[in-house]
Amino acid sequence: MHAARKLAILALLGLLTGLPQARAQTVEIERGTLAAGLWCFPILNRPDEWVYVPARASLATDDHGRPRFSFVRYAFSQEAHGSGGASITQAEGGGIVHFLVRYETPDDQVAAARSELRERLDNDEIRLAGPLVFDSGRYTLVSSILTEDGDQRPHLLASGSAPVLEGNQLALSFHLEPEKAMLLMESFRMDTPDISIVFDLEFAGITDAYEAEVVVDWSQVRESHAFSAGGSVYFVSAEVEAEFDRLVRNNAIQMVSAGEDAAMEALIARIYERLLELMFNPVAPERVPPAERGGLTDAIGALVGQGGLLSSGNTTGFGAHVGYRMKDLRWEGQTVLDFNHRARVRRNAYITFNIGDLYRRYGDDPAFFRAVNPADPTFDQREIHLTVDGELASEFEQLINSASVTLRKRHAGGDITIEERVINAASVQSDTSPAPLVYGWRDDTDRLDWLEYEYRTHWHFRGGGTYVSDWTRSDAAMIQLYAPFQRQRVQLVNTGLDLSALGVRAVVVNLDYPFFGTLRREQMVVRGDQPGMENAVEITLPRDIFDYDYRITWIMADGSRPQLEKRDSSGLIFLDPPPG
């Protein structure tokens, strides 16, 4: 048996409640207001219809209102060895904690928020249509007791995708060595046990238009001490924001605004969001190479822990639970960005959760807290559950035909068990979860080795293209299906050109990008008489691939069509005068 087995953490989604799928709404970001403790936003073009951001997270409950939680401490009786004189020795064992969390809003708080909005805006027609539907979500599990090195600072123990609909549940399960199980048991006897989760939930909305522009001097940006390491360092959002503040003070980034001071905070948030898109790629902690992950996870743990910068609200409008890696910036001179039009932007809401005083209420109930000594394993079988998060579920309607999961278990006696499940749009939309993958006990004398297995995924995409992952080793009780691709927004930026004056009737930009053995194309068009229109497309790239090809064609008044072809990964294409 492994004497120092590392902490195994599993965090997976289950759409386990009966909440119907809601339609995403576009909200007016800068008209948001706090009412009865809820942030509320009006829906675009529907001023009397508002939505609210869910207020709190709690343990999920069963049909009888009892928390879906268990903490099992276990010990294996071992055969005695040696001739020592001790009559009481330490048995092998540990602990397994499993619980489900959801975020929600009490009905009375929703009613109070609705009344406050109607009174404040003097409009009895206002109604709260329901919770805001998030575009994506992440969670971070933070603890100082469950770390392996005894360091009492908050540490990030797990991070991953979170539900995007209020009421959906997040399942977490992790294994503890005996010492950690004992410390956690003592922590549960306190009013605030040392297990906390922060949800980082992203949503989109429309901003106001501003009489403002930003000038970026790339030579001064490259001289930034914080950014001098380029793409070899991962930053957290608070570090990026602090460096943007310094670049503004040093005039490397110059902001010119004709608006009122009251709107300056919202304008700066939008400017920083555009700069972050321009200069950085977000990277989830689990995607960072293990050798580089420690510093980033410690920084995120400090950011979201008690007393961290997140607790004071000192973060950008971007996710606090991911790292940011600087792009390969090749631009020279200056870039002018204008903000004189309404734009779709992303914002983040944060919900914190502590597991609470469970032991005071349920400490004597073996359904929640139990110590066991397992008996004969011959009749044991292992069930590995499958789950698809809310963000990926929608892709089965648009992009994915099917996904299959294959499990391979190599038993100690040499036998191999193969199990496979297929997931498609019909099974994702079903109220029941996919049937678990199962393997039994075949001469697996080591209990912990018996928990380990391998799995791989096989994806079939609409319109062609397949992807087969490598075999992944795991000992988790659930397998989470996450997308093997990523979305990237590519924006066409006009830096102030008067296209009509240059004799340009229109500009056509074609983007070509790879997608698992196929080549896909998107197109953007700018008319010469409408140069200020915002143009952007969203492309889908395999994970860890950021490059795409694009061709710009200027359609001139004299009938000529000069072209320019390039490869890029920044997400921004600057509209320059036609060649010559």
Side-chain angles (χ1 to χ4, degrees):
M1 183 162 305
H2 301 293
R5 189 175 185 82
K6 291 186 177 180
L7 178 67
I9 302 173
L10 171 68
L12 295 153
L13 292 177
L15 298 182
L16 303 178
T17 64
L19 187 69
Q21 293 286 335
R23 178 172 53 88
Q25 315 95 337
T26 299
V27 299
E28 297 191 60
I29 288 288
E30 289 161 18
R31 288 191 58 202
T33 185
L34 190 64
L38 292 180
W39 273 106
C40 303
F41 296 89
I43 298 177
L44 183 66
N45 298 326
R46 285 182 276 170
D48 294 337
E49 190 171 346
W50 293 56
V51 291
Y52 62 85
V53 176
R56 70 183 187 187
S58 63
L59 282 175
T61 56
D62 60 20
D63 294 339
H64 302 287
R66 307 204 318 164
R68 299 175 70 109
F69 166 88
S70 65
F71 179 23
V72 177
R73 292 175 294 154
Y74 62 90
F76 299 113
S77 300
Q78 302 293 313
E79 182 180 351
H81 295 282
S83 56
S87 61
I88 299 178
T89 59
Q90 187 74 40
E92 295 283 353
I96 297 175
V97 181
H98 177 77
F99 56 94
L100 281 77
V101 182
R102 66 184 177 191
Y103 55 89
E104 58 187 354
T105 308
D107 292 340
D108 56 351
Q109 188 174 10
V110 175
R114 180 175 59 248
S115 297
E116 186 172 329
L117 282 175
R118 289 176 174 178
E119 180 179 354
R120 185 184 305 170
L121 300 177
D122 192 21
N123 182 356
D124 291 338
E125 300 300 321
I126 288 178
R127 69 184 188 93
L128 280 179
L132 187 148
V133 179
F134 297 104
D135 293 335
S136 63
R138 293 189 63 81
Y139 75 91
T140 297
L141 174 65
V142 179
S143 175
S144 56
I145 285 183
L146 302 183
T147 56
E148 295 186 348
D149 55 8
D151 191 343
Q152 295 302 303
R153 296 175 300 168
H155 282 260
L156 184 152
L157 296 185
S159 182
S161 298
V164 296
L165 294 177
E166 181 180 72
N168 286 346
Q169 300 178 7
L170 172 73
L172 296 106
S173 177
F174 49 96
H175 172 265
L176 305 174
E177 295 294 331
E179 295 82 2
K180 299 300 182 184
M182 179 191 68
L183 286 174
L184 182 60
M185 190 68 226
E186 294 302 316
S187 179
F188 270 121
R189 292 189 171 98
M190 304 173 69
D191 289 340
T192 309
D194 187 40
I195 297 181
S196 297
I197 299 172
V198 179
F199 290 98
D200 181 350
L201 304 164
E202 182 181 275
F203 61 100
I206 298 296
T207 67
D208 293 338
Y210 300 94
E211 294 182 38
E213 67 178 20
V214 171
V215 180
V216 182
D217 187 332
W218 293 111
S219 62
Q220 293 191 52
V221 170
R222 288 192 180 88
E223 293 175 1
S224 162
H225 175 72
F227 297 160
S228 60
S232 62
V233 173
Y234 295 90
F235 300 90
V236 294
S237 58
E239 294 172 329
V240 175
E241 182 184 21
E243 187 59 18
F244 282 166
D245 288 342
R246 193 190 71 81
L247 292 174
V248 170
R249 291 194 301 270
N250 294 345
N251 289 325
I253 298 173
Q254 301 180 46
M255 296 184 291
V256 181
S257 172
E260 300 179 358
D261 291 342
M264 184 56 67
E265 183 177 351
L267 172 60
I268 290 176
R270 184 176 168 195
I271 290 172
Y272 281 11
E273 181 178 32
R274 181 77 69 86
L275 291 173
L276 196 61
E277 289 180 348
L278 184 67
M279 298 171 60
F280 290 88
N281 283 317
V283 183
E286 61 268 25
R287 298 292 178 187
V288 177
E292 306 174 51
R293 191 176 299 164
L296 174 62
T297 56
D298 286 348
I300 293 177
L303 182 67
V304 304
Q306 185 176 5
L309 289 174
L310 181 59
S311 63
S312 65
N314 185 24
T315 61
T316 66
F318 294 83
H321 298 175
V322 297
Y324 292 95
R325 188 170 187 172
M326 200 167 188
K327 296 178 180 179
D328 182 13
L329 302 180
R330 302 175 185 177
W331 298 307
E332 302 291 342
Q334 294 183 338
T335 295
V336 179
L337 305 174
D338 70 83
F339 295 84
N340 61 359
H341 55 269
R342 307 188 76 180
R344 181 180 175 86
V345 297
R346 296 179 176 89
R347 292 292 181 264
N348 291 72
Y350 302 99
I351 301 175
T352 58
F353 164 78
N354 183 273
I355 205 163
D357 60 345
L358 277 175
Y359 189 80
R360 180 182 61 81
R361 293 180 290 151
Y362 300 103
D364 296 330
D365 191 336
F368 301 95
F369 293 88
R370 181 184 300 181
V372 299
N373 191 325
D376 187 355
T378 303
F379 302 101
D380 289 353
Q381 69 176 19
R382 187 90 191 280
E383 295 186 359
I384 310 300
H385 296 270
L386 302 176
T387 184
V388 180
D389 65 42
E391 184 178 359
L392 177 58
S394 61
E395 300 292 356
F396 281 87
E397 289 289 341
Q398 304 175 29
L399 191 61
I400 302 170
N401 273 325
S402 65
S404 60
V405 182
T406 304
L407 177 145
R408 180 174 67 189
K409 171 60 184 175
R410 302 179 186 272
H411 298 276
D415 292 337
I416 296 177
T417 299
I418 300 291
E419 284 273 303
E420 190 170 73
R421 296 289 180 270
V422 176
I423 298 174
N424 52 32
S427 58
V428 168
Q429 295 170 359
S430 172
D431 293 334
T432 59
S433 300
L437 299 158
V438 180
Y439 62 86
W441 180 274
R442 298 185 185 180
D443 301 322
D444 299 292
T445 55
D446 189 320
R447 292 284 295 188
L448 291 181
D449 283 348
W450 178 65
L451 298 177
E452 294 185 350
Y453 59 88
E454 298 169 286
Y455 72 92
R456 72 178 182 187
T457 57
H458 192 162
W459 303 79
H460 295 268
F461 300 98
R462 297 180 186 272
T466 61
Y467 171 74
V468 181
S469 72
D470 294 329
W471 287 101
T472 300
R473 184 176 295 275
S474 177
D475 61 0
M478 291 187 182
I479 296 174
Q480 179 186 13
L481 284 183
Y482 64 88
F485 50 80
Q486 61 197 356
R487 303 287 191 183
Q488 182 168 353
R489 187 169 182 264
V490 181
Q491 184 175 353
L492 182 60
V493 179
N494 187 345
T495 57
L497 291 179
D498 187 344
L499 296 176
S500 296
L502 294 173
V504 179
R505 288 183 174 177
V507 179
V508 180
V509 179
N510 289 313
L511 284 87
D512 295 319
Y513 56 95
F515 188 79
F516 300 111
T518 64
L519 190 64
R520 299 195 172 186
R521 170 170 290 182
E522 298 288 346
Q523 186 179 82
M524 292 180 283
V525 178
V526 178
R527 290 172 49 183
D529 58 350
Q530 295 180 342
M533 295 294 291
E534 181 176 356
N535 284 271
V537 295
E538 186 174 74
I539 63 177
T540 306
L541 295 168
R543 283 198 178 273
D544 303 322
I545 294 179
F546 303 98
D547 290 341
Y548 52 85
D549 297 310
Y550 67 88
R551 181 175 70 253
I552 304 177
T553 302
W554 289 264
I555 301 176
M556 309 299 294
D558 61 5
S560 61
R561 297 194 175 195
Q563 293 184 340
L564 177 66
E565 295 185 3
K566 283 189 176 182
R567 170 167 289 190
D568 198 12
S569 62
S570 68
L572 289 171
I573 299 175
F574 291 95
L575 187 56
D576 294 324

